[in-house]
Amino acid sequence: MAIEHVTIVVPGKAQSVPDQTVLIDRGVFRQVGKNVKVPEGARRIDGTGKFLIPGLWDMHVHWYDESALGLFTANGVTGIRVMWGMPMQKDWRRKAALGAMVGPRVVTAGPIVDGPDPVWEGSTSFTDPERAGMFVLNHRADEWDFIKVYSLLRRGAYFALAHAAKSQGVPFAGHVPLSVSLLEAAKAGQKSNEHLGGFMTDLRPDAADLRSKIDAALGEEGGKAKAFALSRSPGPMPTVAAVESYARSLAKEGMWQCPTLTVLRNISRLDKPEFVKDARLKYMPSEMRTMWDPANDFRFKARTAADWEKSRADFAAKKALIAPLLKAGTKFLAGTDCLNPYCFPGFSLHDELALLVEAGLTPTQALEAATVNPARFFDQQKAWGLVAKGMRADCVLLSRDPLVDIRNTASIVAVFQGTRMFDRAELDAILKANEHP
Ligand SMILES: [Zn+2]
């Protein structure tokens, strides 16, 4: 295949490269340049006036329906990081790598690893520091790509797990537990922190005391509610300077932030009738629509009008962290937390990019968070993440410039993933097949 006379967008750079020809063969960019000779018999795609970006990654996904994986592809999402793995995702990982299914490439955690009384049913409860080595060994044997840690792990268990994971070379990422500070987690080797959790607590003057109380509560029968209440107890808002200097220390330790602004925004707006009238609901089966109704969600069903207002204030406060974090050199990953209310597979990655730009990233920095940064995060930056010679040929052809307006990432003309190409008609057919009455 040859995409001719296209403008190549380089995530992280403000300048794009005009009038390029890109040769794709057997799933790899073989040639990229101005005077590239197109071999006889190649399928030629006219890229005049169009823009080519690397394939997008949603770095925080929960998804279990194989039949709807095409919705990621239809939205230019060529890779997902699954944050709670089941055996099915290992199957998808294999099929996507072979180009044997319509759907994104997969990197997957195992089941969530939480404390004595997990938040989510079905999580693995990890409580005995002595068993950390064996736990990580088994996790590796099960061929999960990384360990997903969660909020209610106790300090002793967490640090033992972190140590074992580090010594066995298994990455771990997820929620920094309520009983552990972000800096402690970063120093212990936790690779990413999700949802901008932890900043508000860590920057309180009484943070250390609060954490030891939380840890003690988690050791008590029924202490989960108490631990959450402690973590949410009102404290002073940190200053911008304090956020910046803390973020610098975290970035120095190599910790990435996956803010998932999409889910944070969504769960603060489910009481708004205009918000829940999303046209994209037609792609969700009725069980999903029922599940997304806050009246059916244990986290939201008891919320009052005042609670919704408070959750909007919390969202605004978290969004305000992005600018100082950016200034401090934080490395961001674009993630949606899809499967949560109104976080749509594929579609919402574009919501996340727009929210990151609203929060202070430039369009090219937002694109970087969904392309080059995921590649760097997985230590694969030599293999993919850019439209460049020798790299894996995952890319998205757009009709409008995403650097002028980040929402233009949705102006998709074609999606390329490895050896496969999906033109607009094929993408529309995928969408059509995913409509529900
Ligand atoms: Zn999640």
Side-chain angles (χ1 to χ4, degrees):
M1 288 181 283
I3 310 166
E4 298 177 276
H5 308 297
V6 72
T7 297
I8 295 179
V9 177
V10 188
K13 300 250 163 71
Q15 287 298 324
S16 299
V17 192
D19 197 17
Q20 298 289 293
T21 290
V22 177
L23 280 190
I24 299 174
D25 182 34
R26 284 160 289 153
V28 174
F29 297 121
R30 298 288 166 188
Q31 293 290 338
V32 179
K34 213 173 180 94
N35 298 309
V36 171
K37 222 176 131 244
V38 178
E40 194 100 19
R43 177 172 180 182
R44 304 175 91 116
I45 298 121
D46 185 12
T48 310
K50 300 190 173 70
F51 301 84
L52 197 62
I53 60 170
L56 301 167
W57 277 71
D58 186 335
M59 291 295 281
H60 192 125
V61 165
H62 304 270
W63 198 255
Y64 305 97
D65 179 2
E66 181 167 350
S67 72
L69 285 175
L71 290 175
F72 289 101
T73 308
N75 283 285
V77 175
T78 58
I80 57 175
R81 182 174 66 139
V82 172
M83 301 305 283
W84 186 343
M86 312 252 161
M88 69 174 86
Q89 280 99 6
K90 289 191 276 190
D91 186 39
W92 301 350
R93 180 176 64 190
R94 184 181 56 80
K95 286 198 261 187
L98 295 168
M101 71 168 191
V102 178
R105 300 178 191 277
V106 173
V107 173
T108 184
I112 282 179
V113 182
D114 207 351
D117 183 9
V119 176
W120 299 96
E121 207 183 305
S123 304
T124 302
S125 168
F126 182 78
T127 54
D128 181 2
E130 302 284 326
R131 287 187 51 246
M134 191 49 83
F135 180 88
V136 176
L137 204 61
N138 287 333
H139 197 276
R140 259 173 63 191
D142 285 338
E143 300 186 324
W144 305 112
D145 297 307
F146 67 100
I147 298 172
K148 162 89 178 268
V149 289
Y150 215 65
S151 307
L152 299 180
L153 276 165
R154 294 191 68 191
R155 291 176 64 83
Y158 174 81
F159 289 117
L161 202 58
H163 181 76
K166 213 171 171 176
S167 56
Q168 295 189 42
V170 178
F172 63 105
H175 292 199
V176 169
L178 300 177
S179 63
V180 174
S181 80
L182 292 176
L183 190 56
E184 288 172 321
K187 285 187 197 281
Q190 182 163 336
K191 215 156 170 204
S192 72
N193 175 48
E194 311 303 304
H195 321 304
L196 300 174
F199 284 94
M200 301 299 181
T201 313
D202 288 3
L203 293 168
R204 292 170 59 145
D206 59 345
D209 180 46
L210 202 58
R211 276 195 299 273
S212 60
K213 281 185 184 146
I214 290 171
D215 193 49
L218 291 171
E220 294 161 14
E221 190 72 36
K224 175 160 81 176
K226 192 173 161 194
F228 273 118
L230 282 164
S231 78
R232 287 176 190 143
S233 60
M237 275 295 282
T239 64
V240 170
V243 173
E244 245 181 68
S245 111
Y246 194 50
R248 250 193 302 277
S249 321
L250 298 177
K252 215 169 77 192
E253 296 296 335
M255 179 184 262
W256 295 71
Q257 299 293 332
C258 184
T260 66
L261 295 175
T262 304
V263 70
L264 300 178
R265 177 199 56 181
N266 293 6
I267 62 175
S268 76
R269 301 194 69 79
L270 297 172
D271 62 328
K272 298 272 184 199
E274 71 277 10
F275 185 81
V276 295
K277 270 194 216 132
D278 197 305
R280 301 172 290 186
L281 278 177
K282 70 177 174 206
Y283 300 112
M284 296 295 108
S286 64
E287 314 85 77
M288 187 75 77
R289 294 180 220 168
T290 307
M291 195 178 94
W292 284 0
D293 182 337
N296 301 322
D297 192 316
F298 75 89
R299 294 169 293 175
F300 314 122
K301 63 181 173 197
R303 274 194 187 175
T304 62
D307 294 333
W308 286 110
E309 284 308 325
K310 176 164 187 316
S311 84
R312 283 193 268 282
D314 290 346
F315 171 58
K318 280 204 170 175
K319 199 171 157 197
L321 291 172
I322 297 280
L325 258 61
L326 182 67
K327 208 171 157 205
T330 301
K331 295 178 289 183
F332 290 105
L333 299 169
T336 62
D337 216 351
C338 128
L339 193 67
N340 269 290
Y342 295 80
C343 303
F344 296 91
F347 298 96
S348 283
L349 197 267
H350 303 272
D351 298 351
E352 183 68 17
L353 295 177
L355 283 165
L356 286 169
V357 170
E358 261 180 46
L361 273 68
T362 61
T364 199
Q365 286 171 330
L367 270 181
E368 193 179 20
T371 56
V372 189
N373 281 359
R376 289 178 184 137
F377 180 81
F378 296 129
D379 242 336
Q380 299 264 308
Q381 67 272 26
K382 291 209 170 83
W384 54 272
L386 287 169
V387 178
K389 186 177 168 174
M391 286 201 187
R392 198 160 77 188
D394 296 355
C395 57
V396 185
L397 188 63
L398 305 174
S399 62
R400 294 193 294 275
D401 188 351
L403 301 192
V404 169
D405 181 344
I406 191 64
R407 287 169 302 182
N408 289 341
T409 51
S411 67
I412 298 174
V413 178
V415 175
F416 302 79
Q417 187 179 320
T419 54
R420 303 185 72 157
M421 172 192 172
F422 304 88
D423 63 18
R424 191 61 254 171
E426 286 163 284
L427 299 173
D428 286 337
I430 293 172
L431 290 174
K432 191 83 200 153
N434 277 285
E435 277 185 27
H436 292 269

